[in-house]
Amino acid sequence: HGHDSRKKLIKGIQKLAEVVGHTLGPRGRNVALDYEMYEPKITKDGVTVAKNIFFRDREMEMGAKLFKMVAGNTNLVAGDGTTTSTVLTSAIVTKAE
C-alpha cells in the first residue's frame, strides 16, 4: 500500500508539473481554463494553472495539492517564479524517487 501510494503521489506531482511547465519563460504557452459558472480565462501564470488542475485519484490529488502549496508559497513570498519553483520541485521529487 505504501509503495503504490508513493508512486501515485509522485505521478500527480509529475503530471501537474508537465502542464504547468508549458507556461515557463518568455516562450511559454498560454493555458485556457474553463470555468462552469464563469467565462473562460487564458493565462500563463503557473499558480493559476496549478490551482485549476484536479485528479480523481486520491493519492495523485494529494501530490498535486502538495505541489500547489509550493506554487502558492512562492507566489506569496516572491510574487513570481511559481512555474520555475514547481518545475524544480518536480525534478527534485523525481530524482529522490
Side-chain angles (χ1 to χ4, degrees):
H1 178 20
H3 181 69
D4 291 338
S5 293
R6 187 177 318 116
K7 286 282 190 192
K8 286 184 179 181
L9 188 122
I10 292 170
K11 187 176 180 180
I13 290 172
Q14 290 170 336
K15 286 206 176 273
L16 193 67
E18 182 182 335
V19 175
V20 172
H22 288 294
T23 67
L24 181 62
R27 291 184 176 227
R29 309 291 241 154
N30 290 323
V31 175
L33 303 172
D34 186 22
Y35 299 105
E36 280 187 29
M37 303 286 282
Y38 306 100
E39 294 180 8
K41 181 178 182 178
I42 297 175
T43 185
K44 257 186 73 171
D45 179 36
V47 72
T48 303
V49 173
K51 285 181 180 179
N52 286 281
I53 296 174
F54 303 96
F55 297 105
R56 287 191 177 113
D57 184 87
R58 184 172 174 247
E59 285 90 358
M60 285 179 65
E61 179 62 24
M62 191 181 310
K65 283 181 180 178
L66 291 170
F67 205 75
K68 292 172 191 181
M69 286 174 42
V70 169
N73 286 338
T74 301
N75 190 39
L76 185 67
V77 173
D80 195 16
T82 56
T83 302
T84 303
S85 69
T86 53
V87 169
L88 287 172
T89 301
S90 175
I92 291 168
V93 167
T94 302
K95 194 71 171 174
E97 181 185 11

